[in-house]
Each structure stands twice: as C-alpha cells, then as structure tokens.
C-alpha cells in the first residue's frame, strides 16, 4: 500500500532489508546461523519467565546486528552526501508512523521497530528452539 512508499519507498526498503538480514544465512550477510546456534538456551522458557543474563547478552548482539543492517542499508542506498538527510527522513517517517493513528502506517513502523525488540527476539528464539527439538526428534 501507499503507506509503505513514504518518500521514495524508504520505509519499505529499510524494513525489507532488515528482515532479509534476519532470515538470511551468514554467507549472505544474515543472522539465521547466529540465531540457530544460540536458540537452545531458550527452549522451554515462556513469556514472562525470569530472564537469564545470557538472553540479554544474546539480545545485545542481535540488536547490534539489526542496527548494523540498517546502517548497511543506508550506506548502500545513498551517496555519502545524502546519508544524513535520508537517515533523518527515515527517522521522520518512523516518528510519523508512531504518532499516526492509521493502522497501515503504524503497522509498517511497528514491523521495522519490532526487528530490534527484546520480547520479539525472545519469541523468535523460543520458536527456533522448539523447531530444533522437533526436527531432532524425527
């Protein structure tokens, strides 16, 4: 929809780039191998459980990787002279989406911000750990 487009589709492209990095393998610049390698300690945990220090340490690495993928997007998309203006534009679109009460723009921004959310990270890791256990038992 038009909400993705914003100024020249920047929000959509940024979100797509970050999510491609999250699901991609390390040889593609992605995080899948990192997530798979570290998900087992989340097995059996539930939302609301006491958080282990290891969860937060892994999250900080994940957050660093998400931020690096957003920086990589900005660097790859724009001439260095435009970088700050485009980053400011992306920030404005994110702020507008947070303040906008239309479902579509708010959803687009929520999707981008969720990429680096701690609770979302823990949920992804629990799902991966369960999937690994199911695959190992077959």
């Amino acid at each position: 929809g038009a909400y993705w487009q914003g100024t020249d589709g920047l929000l959509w492209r940024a979100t797509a780039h970050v999510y491609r990095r999250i699901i991609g393998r390390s040889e593609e610049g992605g995080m899948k191998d990192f997530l798979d390698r570290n998900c087992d300690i989340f097995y059996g945990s539930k939302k609301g459980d006491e958080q282990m220090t290891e969860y937060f340490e892994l999250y900080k690495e994940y957050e660093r990787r998400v931020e690096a993928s957003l920086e990589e997007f900005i660097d790859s998309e724009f001439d260095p002279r435009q970088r700050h203006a485009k980053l400011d534009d992306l920030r404005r679109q994110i702020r507008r989406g947070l303040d906008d009460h239309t479902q579509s723009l708010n959803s687009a921004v929520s999707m981008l911000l969720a990429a680096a959310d701690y609770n979302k990270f823990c949920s992804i890791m629990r799902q991966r750990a369960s999937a690994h256990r199911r695959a190992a038992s077959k």
Side-chain angles (χ1 to χ4, degrees):
Y3 65 94
W4 280 112
Q5 297 309 312
T7 304
D8 72 9
L10 184 64
L11 183 59
W12 178 84
R13 291 195 324 274
T15 303
H17 180 84
V18 168
Y19 277 89
R20 275 193 305 274
R21 288 296 181 250
I22 291 170
I23 65 171
R25 300 198 70 82
S26 58
E27 59 267 13
E28 301 164 345
M31 298 178 219
K32 182 182 183 310
D33 299 327
F34 165 78
L35 298 173
D36 288 345
R37 195 172 48 251
N38 292 290
C39 69
D40 286 339
I41 67 168
F42 289 82
Y43 184 74
S45 68
K46 294 178 180 41
K47 187 176 182 175
D49 283 356
E50 185 174 336
Q51 300 297 300
M52 295 173 43
T53 304
E54 291 88 349
Y55 294 0
F56 192 71
E57 289 169 0
L58 287 170
Y59 166 71
K60 293 310 285 180
E61 175 60 21
Y62 169 80
E63 181 182 51
R64 186 195 65 72
R65 290 172 184 233
V66 168
E67 288 172 4
S69 70
L70 196 51
E71 286 286 325
E72 174 189 63
F73 166 77
I74 295 293
D75 288 344
S76 70
E77 288 277 316
F78 307 109
D79 180 290
R81 295 177 304 246
Q82 294 179 316
R83 186 177 190 283
H84 291 294
K86 290 296 185 177
L87 197 50
D88 287 345
D89 186 31
L90 182 58
R91 285 184 186 121
R92 273 193 301 279
Q93 288 186 46
I94 290 170
R95 271 193 236 100
R96 190 178 82 227
L98 291 173
D99 295 337
D100 192 323
H101 297 294
T102 61
Q103 178 68 29
S104 56
L105 184 58
N106 199 318
S107 294
V109 171
S110 294
M111 195 170 163
L112 181 59
L113 296 177
D117 179 72
Y118 177 74
N119 291 324
K120 180 70 171 176
F121 167 75
C122 289
S123 175
I124 289 168
M125 296 302 268
R126 284 191 297 271
Q127 290 170 4
R128 278 185 133 56
S130 292
H132 281 196
R133 294 287 170 113
R134 283 191 305 277
S137 68
K138 288 184 178 182

